[in-house]
C-alpha cells in the first residue's frame, strides 16, 4: 500500500526509525538509541557492546559512525566484484581523508549500514528522508550540524559487496556499473581540487 513514488531505501529506513522513536517514547526511555543497519551486512561479536559503551562514555554525543570494511576475501566473491568493491572502498576512504586534510570540519563516512544515534537527535533534525539513494549522506550531514559526534573503531560492520539495480547511485549501483564494463572506479577526485579548498577552510573569516 506504499505509494510507488516514495518506495525505496530512504523510506524503508524512515519507517523503521520513526517506529523506533515511537517505541522509545511509549516506553519512556529518553536516552534511547537507534542503530542503522542493512539486512545483508554482518558485524563483529562485540557490535552492540561497542555502541553502548561509546554512548555511555560520551553522553554529550548525538551520533557515531561505525568502522566498516567491505568483505572481499571470505566468502570469496566474483573476482570482478572483488576488484570493484576494493576500488570503491579505496575511493570512499580517499574522499573522506582528503576532506579532512583540506580542513572540512565534518569529514565523515556516510554509510547507511554503519551508524548509530540518539532518538532525541533524530527528532531534532526532522528524521530520515525518503530519498531512493543517498539518504544516509543527506541525513548524516544534517546530524553533524548538531555537533558532538564521533566514530566507533572498536568494532566493525561488514556491508555486503553486491551489485544492485534498486538505487541510482551508491555502492550497489557502482558495482553493477563496474561489472557491466564501466571504468568509473578506475578514477577518483583530483587531489588538486582539495588543495584548492584548503585555504578556504584554513581562514575562519571566509
Amino acid at each position: 500500500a506504499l505509494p510507488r513514488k516514495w518506495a525505496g531505501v530512504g523510506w524503508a529506513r524512515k519507517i523503521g526509525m520513526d517506529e523506533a522513536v515511537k517505541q522509545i517514547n511509549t516506553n519512556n526511555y529518553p536516552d534511547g538509541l537507534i542503530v542503522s543497519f542493512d539486512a545483508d551486512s554482518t558485524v563483529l561479536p562485540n557490535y552492540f557492546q561497542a555502541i553502548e559503551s561509546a554512548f555511555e562514555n560520551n553522553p554529550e554525543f548525538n551520533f557515531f559512525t561505525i568502522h566498516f570494511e567491505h568483505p572481499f576475501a571470505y566468502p570469496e566473491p566474483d573476482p570482478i566484484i572483488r576488484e570493484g568493491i576494493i576500488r570503491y572502498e579505496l575511493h570512499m576512504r580517499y574522499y573522506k581523508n582528503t576532506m579532512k586534510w583540506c580542513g572540512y570540519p565534518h569529514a565523515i563516512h556516510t554509510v547507511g549500514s554503519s551508524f548509530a544515534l540518539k532518538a532525541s537527535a533524530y527528532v531534532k533534525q526532522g528524521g530520515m528522508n525518503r530519498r531512493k539513494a543517498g539518504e544516509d549522506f543527506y541525513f548524516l550531514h544534517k546530524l553533524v550540524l548538531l555537533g558532538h559526534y564521533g566514530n566507533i573503531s572498536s568494532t566493525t560492520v561488514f556491508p555486503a559487496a553486491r551489485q544492485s539495480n534498486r538505487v541510482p547511485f551508491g555502492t550497489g549501483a557502482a558495482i553493477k556499473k563496474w561489472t557491466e564494463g564501466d571504468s568509473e572506479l578506475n578514477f577518483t577526485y583530483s587531489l588538486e581540487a582539495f588543495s584548492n579548498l584548503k585555504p578556504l577552510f584554513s581562514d575562519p573569516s571566509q
Side-chain angles (χ1 to χ4, degrees), residues 130-141:
R130 296 185 294 189
R131 293 176 180 270
K132 295 189 176 184
E135 80 295 338
D136 42 12
F137 175 89
Y138 291 99
F139 178 68
L140 287 171
H141 279 288

Side-chain angles (χ1 to χ4, degrees), residues 17-174:
M17 291 182 171
D18 286 359
E19 179 62 26
V21 170
K22 178 182 175 182
Q23 294 297 326
I24 286 168
N25 286 335
T26 299
N27 290 280
N28 193 28
Y29 186 53
D31 295 325
L33 304 178
I34 301 173
V35 179
S36 183
F37 195 63
D38 284 353
D40 56 359
S41 295
T42 57
V43 297
L44 289 181
N46 70 331
Y47 175 72
F48 288 115
Q49 293 92 333
I51 293 172
E52 185 177 32
S53 295
F55 282 99
E56 285 182 350
N57 296 332
N58 302 275
E60 75 282 10
F61 280 26
N62 291 297
F63 78 95
F64 285 92
T65 55
I66 304 171
H67 178 69
F68 69 92
E69 298 175 11
H70 289 94
F72 64 88
Y74 180 82
E76 181 67 41
D78 179 281
I80 296 176
I81 293 179
R82 182 180 189 275
E83 178 71 16
I85 201 61
I86 290 173
R87 290 175 178 271
Y88 186 77
E89 186 170 315
L90 286 173
H91 161 73
M92 293 174 72
R93 300 202 183 282
Y94 165 82
Y95 178 56
K96 184 253 187 181
N97 289 334
T98 46
M99 290 292 280
K100 182 178 180 180
W101 172 76
C102 77
Y104 180 67
H106 304 306
I108 60 171
H109 284 300
T110 55
V111 180
S113 59
S114 308
F115 69 89
L117 70 154
K118 290 180 178 177
S120 57
Y122 180 83
V123 173
K124 283 179 185 176
Q125 293 302 76
M128 178 58 70
N129 59 76
R130 296 185 294 189
R131 293 176 180 270
K132 295 189 176 184
E135 80 295 338
D136 42 12
F137 175 89
Y138 291 99
F139 178 68
L140 287 171
H141 279 288
K142 282 198 309 179
L143 281 183
V144 296
L145 300 179
L146 292 174
H148 300 298
Y149 59 88
N151 179 70
I152 298 172
S153 58
S154 57
T155 193
T156 302
V157 174
F158 302 99
R162 45 107 172 105
Q163 53 184 316
S164 172
N165 58 7
R166 295 179 299 161
V167 291
F169 58 89
T171 308

